[in-house]
Amino acid sequence: MSQNEFDVLIIGAGISGAALFYELARYTDIKNIALIEKYNAPATLNSKGTSNSQTIHCGDIETNYTFEKAKKVKRTADMIIKYGKLQNAENKFMFSHQKMALAVGDSECEYMKTRYEEFKELYPYIKFFDKTKIKEIEPRVALDENFSNDRPENIAGMGIEAGEVFTTVDYGKMSESLVEQGQKQGKNTLVAFNQEVNFIEKKDGGFYIRTTDYKEYHAKALVVNAGAHSLFLAHKLGVGLDKCCWPVAGSFYLTKQKLLNGKVYMVQNPKLPFAALHGDPDLLADMNTRFGPTALVLPKLERYHGLKSMPEFFSTLKIDRLFMKIAFDIMKDSMVRNYLLYNYLYEIPIFNRYLFVKNAKKIVPSLKPSDIYYADGFGGVRPQVIDRTKGEIMLGEASITDVEGVIFNMTPSPGATSCLGNAERDCKIVCKYLGQKFDEDKFTSELL
Ligand SMILES: Cc1cc2nc3c(=O)[nH]c(=O)nc-3n(C[C@H](O)[C@H](O)[C@H](O)COP(=O)(O)OP(=O)(O)OC[C@H]3O[C@@H](n4cnc5c(N)ncnc54)[C@H](O)[C@@H]3O)c2cc1C
């Protein structure tokens, strides 16, 4: 095989690409594997620690997950913990914090009690917290606006105290670890940074890949884990044309001191497609509380790189009559419309803090605008995919496998938690396509 020929080439070194690179190198007999990334390091976009909420979404406190979805994410969440333990990552990139789903008011408390009864079978460690317990472990949640008496509403929660299970990961550091470990498995690997792929062609029974600076690669199989750009590249190859991408950015607010002892997630409004506001201790901000994320439709595929990805946004959105109808149908619901419009206001300096606090007070009643500041440079983009045939937002991940030998993945939340499970799925597809072996026993003994 020549220098630029590979069995498998992965585009994108976020947590999804890094996890696949590691699993291909460790659990398959595939020998030549390349990972191509357009920026100068792994995980500088959505997988970076400051871009997401650093949560291992295992489904116990995520009230937007059904029992079935919780069961599915729990399997992949457990894999994150297994990998972390294998790498001795405890208190390096994997942490154990207190966490809870919080119910405010009688009807939410009733709902929480029912949910607890249903979910405790799946999460035997989970505890039900009454107001007294919440006051003990998370006093700012239980006390009123003046931080003196109990807040007037009934509150309840389900969760765990610190030290019981792993809850938090710096997915940026974990991506670095996966890339490093992938390179140590005795395979012929290439990890190339500062190389932006802008051309893919199916050629001679494989794939021809070219970058913006005219580097050329050939691969028998290709996996595109390029975030919102995956669909952009799929469209260039003429696949996934029944889908378009509507990226929704998320911003955060940081507190000037540690207000919460652990993660506090609010009960989800079932009408809204994005996770309800939550507060998390931030690993990269001295464990001060980070509130968010907001939900902001921005005309670009990635944040913090100016307007560079704006043309790609419009190309991937495919604005036509069908799209306009889908957008109209989504925005027809006044709750969704108001929610999205309100989220724009969270970006307006000074004014934003007052508005945001109004919402976050449901978690910490004594929170004041002067306690928080807009977390500049934090947050990322959720590549929300719209199925143009069905006319609806595809909640969760989307993969395009229309052409044999190539997979395009789009992974909004909880994509970081699901990275090892998604990589397992793709490893098996690639092995089958190439006639190679996936070492099920080794995989099971290490990650399941
Ligand atoms: C606000 C917010 C909060 C979130 N919170 C959580 C959470 O708490 N827990 C959780 O599990 N998930 C969370 N998520 C989701 C999670 O961050 C993502 O699902 C995950 O990071 C996606 O990883 P990825 O590798 O697929 O994509 P990315 O991290 O976006 O990586 C894609 C990579 O592809 C590269 N790339 C793009 N185009 C090209 C090209 N043409 N050539 C070469 N390289 C290219 C990019 O530079 C990038 O490095 C959150 C997301 C957001 C936005």
PDB file of all heavy atoms in Angstrom, residues 94-110:
ATOM      1  N   MET A  94     -12.261  12.147  33.861  1.00  0.00           N
ATOM      2  CA  MET A  94     -13.560  11.576  34.254  1.00  0.00           C
ATOM      3  C   MET A  94     -13.789  11.800  35.757  1.00  0.00           C
ATOM      4  O   MET A  94     -12.899  11.502  36.552  1.00  0.00           O
ATOM      5  CB  MET A  94     -13.556  10.084  33.922  1.00  0.00           C
ATOM      6  CG  MET A  94     -14.862   9.393  34.173  1.00  0.00           C
ATOM      7  SD  MET A  94     -14.885   7.747  33.466  1.00  0.00           S
ATOM      8  CE  MET A  94     -14.020   6.815  34.734  1.00  0.00           C
ATOM      9  N   PHE A  95     -14.957  12.323  36.090  1.00  0.00           N
ATOM     10  CA  PHE A  95     -15.200  12.749  37.473  1.00  0.00           C
ATOM     11  C   PHE A  95     -16.554  12.243  37.982  1.00  0.00           C
ATOM     12  O   PHE A  95     -17.449  11.939  37.196  1.00  0.00           O
ATOM     13  CB  PHE A  95     -15.175  14.283  37.557  1.00  0.00           C
ATOM     14  CG  PHE A  95     -13.866  14.862  37.091  1.00  0.00           C
ATOM     15  CD1 PHE A  95     -13.617  15.032  35.732  1.00  0.00           C
ATOM     16  CD2 PHE A  95     -12.869  15.192  37.993  1.00  0.00           C
ATOM     17  CE1 PHE A  95     -12.405  15.537  35.287  1.00  0.00           C
ATOM     18  CE2 PHE A  95     -11.648  15.693  37.556  1.00  0.00           C
ATOM     19  CZ  PHE A  95     -11.416  15.862  36.197  1.00  0.00           C
ATOM     20  N   SER A  96     -16.663  12.216  39.305  1.00  0.00           N
ATOM     21  CA  SER A  96     -17.907  11.779  39.922  1.00  0.00           C
ATOM     22  C   SER A  96     -18.489  12.947  40.718  1.00  0.00           C
ATOM     23  O   SER A  96     -17.933  13.341  41.735  1.00  0.00           O
ATOM     24  CB  SER A  96     -17.573  10.612  40.855  1.00  0.00           C
ATOM     25  OG  SER A  96     -18.632  10.389  41.720  1.00  0.00           O
ATOM     26  N   HIS A  97     -19.577  13.508  40.228  1.00  0.00           N
ATOM     27  CA  HIS A  97     -20.218  14.624  40.924  1.00  0.00           C
ATOM     28  C   HIS A  97     -21.597  14.205  41.418  1.00  0.00           C
ATOM     29  O   HIS A  97     -22.143  13.196  40.979  1.00  0.00           O
ATOM     30  CB  HIS A  97     -20.382  15.818  39.976  1.00  0.00           C
ATOM     31  CG  HIS A  97     -19.089  16.422  39.546  1.00  0.00           C
ATOM     32  ND1 HIS A  97     -18.873  16.887  38.265  1.00  0.00           N
ATOM     33  CD2 HIS A  97     -17.943  16.622  40.209  1.00  0.00           C
ATOM     34  CE1 HIS A  97     -17.639  17.347  38.180  1.00  0.00           C
ATOM     35  NE2 HIS A  97     -17.049  17.207  39.337  1.00  0.00           N
ATOM     36  N   GLN A  98     -22.140  15.038  42.263  1.00  0.00           N
ATOM     37  CA  GLN A  98     -23.534  14.860  42.660  1.00  0.00           C
ATOM     38  C   GLN A  98     -24.402  15.255  41.459  1.00  0.00           C
ATOM     39  O   GLN A  98     -24.005  16.120  40.689  1.00  0.00           O
ATOM     40  CB  GLN A  98     -23.752  15.818  43.808  1.00  0.00           C
ATOM     41  CG  GLN A  98     -25.137  15.921  44.345  1.00  0.00           C
ATOM     42  CD  GLN A  98     -25.107  16.885  45.520  1.00  0.00           C
ATOM     43  OE1 GLN A  98     -24.522  16.610  46.561  1.00  0.00           O
ATOM     44  NE2 GLN A  98     -25.725  18.033  45.340  1.00  0.00           N
ATOM     45  N   LYS A  99     -25.546  14.627  41.297  1.00  0.00           N
ATOM     46  CA  LYS A  99     -26.437  15.063  40.212  1.00  0.00           C
ATOM     47  C   LYS A  99     -27.881  14.781  40.550  1.00  0.00           C
ATOM     48  O   LYS A  99     -28.176  13.856  41.316  1.00  0.00           O
ATOM     49  CB  LYS A  99     -26.056  14.407  38.890  1.00  0.00           C
ATOM     50  CG  LYS A  99     -26.239  12.898  38.828  1.00  0.00           C
ATOM     51  CD  LYS A  99     -26.005  12.395  37.396  1.00  0.00           C
ATOM     52  CE  LYS A  99     -26.046  10.890  37.315  1.00  0.00           C
ATOM     53  NZ  LYS A  99     -25.876  10.376  35.964  1.00  0.00           N
ATOM     54  N   MET A 100     -28.775  15.597  40.003  1.00  0.00           N
ATOM     55  CA  MET A 100     -30.206  15.335  40.213  1.00  0.00           C
ATOM     56  C   MET A 100     -31.066  15.955  39.110  1.00  0.00           C
ATOM     57  O   MET A 100     -30.664  16.934  38.482  1.00  0.00           O
ATOM     58  CB  MET A 100     -30.687  15.893  41.564  1.00  0.00           C
ATOM     59  CG  MET A 100     -30.863  17.393  41.599  1.00  0.00           C
ATOM     60  SD  MET A 100     -31.697  17.937  43.100  1.00  0.00           S
ATOM     61  CE  MET A 100     -30.303  18.133  44.203  1.00  0.00           C
ATOM     62  N   ALA A 101     -32.213  15.311  38.897  1.00  0.00           N
ATOM     63  CA  ALA A 101     -33.260  15.921  38.088  1.00  0.00           C
ATOM     64  C   ALA A 101     -34.169  16.606  39.096  1.00  0.00           C
ATOM     65  O   ALA A 101     -34.569  15.993  40.086  1.00  0.00           O
ATOM     66  CB  ALA A 101     -34.022  14.864  37.324  1.00  0.00           C
ATOM     67  N   LEU A 102     -34.467  17.881  38.867  1.00  0.00           N
ATOM     68  CA  LEU A 102     -35.209  18.670  39.852  1.00  0.00           C
ATOM     69  C   LEU A 102     -36.645  18.919  39.394  1.00  0.00           C
ATOM     70  O   LEU A 102     -36.871  19.350  38.256  1.00  0.00           O
ATOM     71  CB  LEU A 102     -34.493  20.017  40.048  1.00  0.00           C
ATOM     72  CG  LEU A 102     -35.209  21.052  40.903  1.00  0.00           C
ATOM     73  CD1 LEU A 102     -35.187  20.648  42.377  1.00  0.00           C
ATOM     74  CD2 LEU A 102     -34.567  22.433  40.724  1.00  0.00           C
ATOM     75  N   ALA A 103     -37.592  18.671  40.299  1.00  0.00           N
ATOM     76  CA  ALA A 103     -38.997  18.975  40.019  1.00  0.00           C
ATOM     77  C   ALA A 103     -39.419  20.161  40.876  1.00  0.00           C
ATOM     78  O   ALA A 103     -39.107  20.205  42.065  1.00  0.00           O
ATOM     79  CB  ALA A 103     -39.852  17.756  40.360  1.00  0.00           C
ATOM     80  N   VAL A 104     -40.100  21.121  40.260  1.00  0.00           N
ATOM     81  CA  VAL A 104     -40.546  22.312  40.992  1.00  0.00           C
ATOM     82  C   VAL A 104     -42.064  22.440  40.829  1.00  0.00           C
ATOM     83  O   VAL A 104     -42.566  22.504  39.702  1.00  0.00           O
ATOM     84  CB  VAL A 104     -39.836  23.586  40.451  1.00  0.00           C
ATOM     85  CG1 VAL A 104     -40.327  24.831  41.193  1.00  0.00           C
ATOM     86  CG2 VAL A 104     -38.326  23.452  40.559  1.00  0.00           C
ATOM     87  N   GLY A 105     -42.765  22.466  41.956  1.00  0.00           N
ATOM     88  CA  GLY A 105     -44.235  22.572  41.898  1.00  0.00           C
ATOM     89  C   GLY A 105     -44.865  21.192  42.014  1.00  0.00           C
ATOM     90  O   GLY A 105     -44.222  20.176  41.746  1.00  0.00           O
ATOM     91  N   ASP A 106     -46.153  21.191  42.397  1.00  0.00           N
ATOM     92  CA  ASP A 106     -46.811  19.914  42.712  1.00  0.00           C
ATOM     93  C   ASP A 106     -46.857  18.948  41.535  1.00  0.00           C
ATOM     94  O   ASP A 106     -46.589  17.757  41.696  1.00  0.00           O
ATOM     95  CB  ASP A 106     -48.234  20.173  43.231  1.00  0.00           C
ATOM     96  CG  ASP A 106     -48.175  20.838  44.600  1.00  0.00           C
ATOM     97  OD1 ASP A 106     -47.123  20.705  45.272  1.00  0.00           O
ATOM     98  OD2 ASP A 106     -49.159  21.500  44.973  1.00  0.00           O
ATOM     99  N   SER A 107     -47.185  19.459  40.341  1.00  0.00           N
ATOM    100  CA  SER A 107     -47.367  18.494  39.240  1.00  0.00           C
ATOM    101  C   SER A 107     -46.022  17.897  38.823  1.00  0.00           C
ATOM    102  O   SER A 107     -45.938  16.686  38.563  1.00  0.00           O
ATOM    103  CB  SER A 107     -48.110  19.126  38.058  1.00  0.00           C
ATOM    104  OG  SER A 107     -47.310  20.089  37.459  1.00  0.00           O
ATOM    105  N   GLU A 108     -44.960  18.706  38.804  1.00  0.00           N
ATOM    106  CA  GLU A 108     -43.640  18.149  38.471  1.00  0.00           C
ATOM    107  C   GLU A 108     -43.195  17.155  39.550  1.00  0.00           C
ATOM    108  O   GLU A 108     -42.584  16.126  39.246  1.00  0.00           O
ATOM    109  CB  GLU A 108     -42.599  19.272  38.319  1.00  0.00           C
ATOM    110  CG  GLU A 108     -42.698  20.012  36.990  1.00  0.00           C
ATOM    111  CD  GLU A 108     -41.542  20.966  36.706  1.00  0.00           C
ATOM    112  OE1 GLU A 108     -40.540  20.982  37.459  1.00  0.00           O
ATOM    113  OE2 GLU A 108     -41.645  21.707  35.735  1.00  0.00           O
ATOM    114  N   CYS A 109     -43.499  17.467  40.815  1.00  0.00           N
ATOM    115  CA  CYS A 109     -43.094  16.556  41.908  1.00  0.00           C
ATOM    116  C   CYS A 109     -43.808  15.204  41.769  1.00  0.00           C
ATOM    117  O   CYS A 109     -43.218  14.143  41.976  1.00  0.00           O
ATOM    118  CB  CYS A 109     -43.386  17.172  43.266  1.00  0.00           C
ATOM    119  SG  CYS A 109     -42.263  18.536  43.653  1.00  0.00           S
ATOM    120  N   GLU A 110     -45.074  15.284  41.397  1.00  0.00           N
ATOM    121  CA  GLU A 110     -45.845  14.056  41.171  1.00  0.00           C
ATOM    122  C   GLU A 110     -45.207  13.244  40.042  1.00  0.00           C
ATOM    123  O   GLU A 110     -45.014  12.029  40.139  1.00  0.00           O
ATOM    124  CB  GLU A 110     -47.283  14.492  40.799  1.00  0.00           C
ATOM    125  CG  GLU A 110     -48.376  13.473  41.068  1.00  0.00           C
ATOM    126  CD  GLU A 110     -48.290  12.848  42.459  1.00  0.00           C
ATOM    127  OE1 GLU A 110     -48.193  13.567  43.491  1.00  0.00           O
ATOM    128  OE2 GLU A 110     -48.288  11.618  42.475  1.00  0.00           O
TER     129      GLU A 110
END
